[in-house]
Amino acid sequence: MRSSARSPRAFTLIELLVVISIIALIVAILLPSLSGARRQGQSIQCLARLSQLGMGWHMYADDYDDVAVPGRYGNLAGGASNPANFYDVGSGLKFRPRWIALMGKYVGAVAFENPLPADRQDYDHKVYQCPSVPDWMDERNHAYGYNHQFLGNARMTNGRFHNFPVNRSKITSFASTVMAADTLGTAAGFAPENRKPYNNNGTDFAELANHGWTLDPPRLKPESEHGSGDPGSPRTAVDPRHMNKSNVIFCDGHGETATPRRLGYRTDAAGAYVDDAAEDRPHNREFSGTGRDTDPPLPPT
């Protein structure tokens, strides 16, 4: 006797192709949204990490008689053989650490497991990592730059600091003064098409994040310090790596995601950041500490 149950009908080739096409169409529609959500998540995580480190800025000033953390202490005679060039970063003494490592120890984010008597070393703690550029972890060529020209430039010329110490009480507009932000390093002075890939141990001005620990203000004078401070160095500037915006932490502790233009920066027709311009001028209102467009302090002569 035959079974009354019918055998399931298989898809025809045409039906199968239609189903595959529909699935492919749905995936194509969703992919940009998923990619955008991922980039948004990276931006939020980056800003949270930068904000966490930023809390250490006030703690440092509390410990050092109201003096804001310098971008990096000047190189005293003797270099690594001079104990006065070593500073506590929470896990030991480090040779001339950058600003972010000096702040990190105050918020439980020790920068180096084993500090080395070297000019550069990779950060070990995840909080120093921007998720959008996770390999930018060299302390010199780093993802985050500091507003050192206004807040604390301890580079030295003829035995004199460029702009240090800077008392925290000198700042009159904490909420509108950039402390730190995503940075392009000296590659900012080049058109995007001429910028080179990141090099962890690199020294090429055109490489992304070269001397990224510095963040020059938008408007510079011809005699202003630029980037690395070396002769011929291009300027540094913010990196709009988060959907054409940069993550910024301000001196009052709040964070924002802002366009370079909102922060006062301007670029030329090729996309390179400019120091000044006759029209549509860059301005330092978000960097000066007073809300005014003042010139950055000049190195001593």
Side-chain angles (χ1 to χ4, degrees):
M1 187 173 67
R2 291 184 179 180
S3 170
S4 59
R6 292 185 178 181
S7 299
R9 185 174 72 86
F11 280 114
T12 65
L13 179 59
I14 296 297
E15 290 172 331
L16 187 59
L17 290 174
V18 169
V19 170
I20 292 173
S21 298
I22 292 171
I23 293 172
L25 179 61
I26 292 171
V27 170
I29 292 171
L30 290 178
L31 270 179
S33 297
L34 293 173
S35 177
R38 178 173 176 272
R39 292 196 301 271
Q40 181 67 22
Q42 289 176 334
S43 177
I44 291 171
Q45 188 177 33
C46 167
L47 188 58
R49 290 176 175 179
L50 193 55
S51 297
Q52 179 182 345
L53 289 165
M55 291 189 293
W57 187 81
H58 283 284
M59 297 178 189
Y60 179 97
D62 288 340
D63 255 12
Y64 286 85
D65 297 325
D66 201 46
V67 172
V69 64
R72 190 186 190 194
Y73 280 109
N75 192 8
L76 303 177
S81 65
N82 184 349
N85 277 323
F86 286 77
Y87 300 86
D88 179 33
V89 291
S91 56
L93 298 178
K94 177 74 174 74
F95 176 69
R96 299 182 61 222
R98 273 76 176 179
W99 63 281
I100 202 166
L102 291 168
M103 295 188 336
K105 71 171 186 174
Y106 288 97
V107 294
V110 174
F112 309 103
E113 293 179 3
N114 298 295
L116 300 176
D119 183 63
R120 54 200 301 181
Q121 180 179 351
D122 287 359
Y123 292 118
D124 292 315
H125 201 294
K126 278 279 190 181
V127 78
Y128 294 81
Q129 180 191 72
C130 172
S132 295
V133 286
D135 55 334
W136 295 16
M137 290 291 279
D138 176 54
E139 63 172 317
R140 176 186 184 273
N141 298 350
H142 194 226
Y144 300 133
Y146 182 56
N147 178 17
H148 71 297
Q149 291 211 35
F150 280 105
L151 297 183
N153 188 351
R155 287 170 173 165
M156 302 178 74
T157 297
N158 298 326
R160 296 168 59 197
F161 292 119
H162 290 197
N163 183 33
F164 183 79
V166 175
N167 284 1
R168 177 178 50 180
S169 55
K170 178 182 177 182
I171 298 168
T172 59
S173 182
F174 285 93
S176 62
T177 301
V178 170
M179 178 202 303
D182 295 324
T183 180
L184 275 168
T186 54
F190 295 82
E193 63 182 16
N194 296 324
R195 294 169 188 162
K196 299 179 181 179
Y198 176 78
N199 183 348
N200 190 73
N201 299 313
T203 58
D204 191 323
F205 287 141
E207 291 171 343
L208 293 172
N210 179 69
H211 264 282
W213 67 272
T214 67
L215 180 64
D216 290 332
R219 187 174 59 79
L220 297 173
K221 297 173 69 67
E223 61 270 33
S224 291
E225 185 174 309
H226 286 64
S228 70
D230 300 310
S233 173
R235 62 162 306 123
T236 60
V238 293
D239 181 11
R241 69 176 70 117
H242 300 294
M243 295 175 286
N244 299 317
K245 294 183 179 181
S246 304
N247 281 333
V248 186
I249 185 72
F250 290 81
C251 288
D252 69 340
H254 89 276
E256 292 183 19
T257 303
T259 64
R261 169 169 284 274
R262 146 81 174 81
L263 297 170
Y265 290 95
R266 301 292 185 265
T267 57
D268 62 19
Y273 285 82
V274 298
D275 293 347
D276 206 346
E279 298 180 5
D280 194 23
R281 298 185 69 195
H283 65 78
N284 294 337
R285 290 193 292 272
E286 306 286 338
F287 284 74
S288 66
T290 63
R292 297 190 296 271
D293 179 25
T294 55
D295 295 339
L298 298 179
T301 55

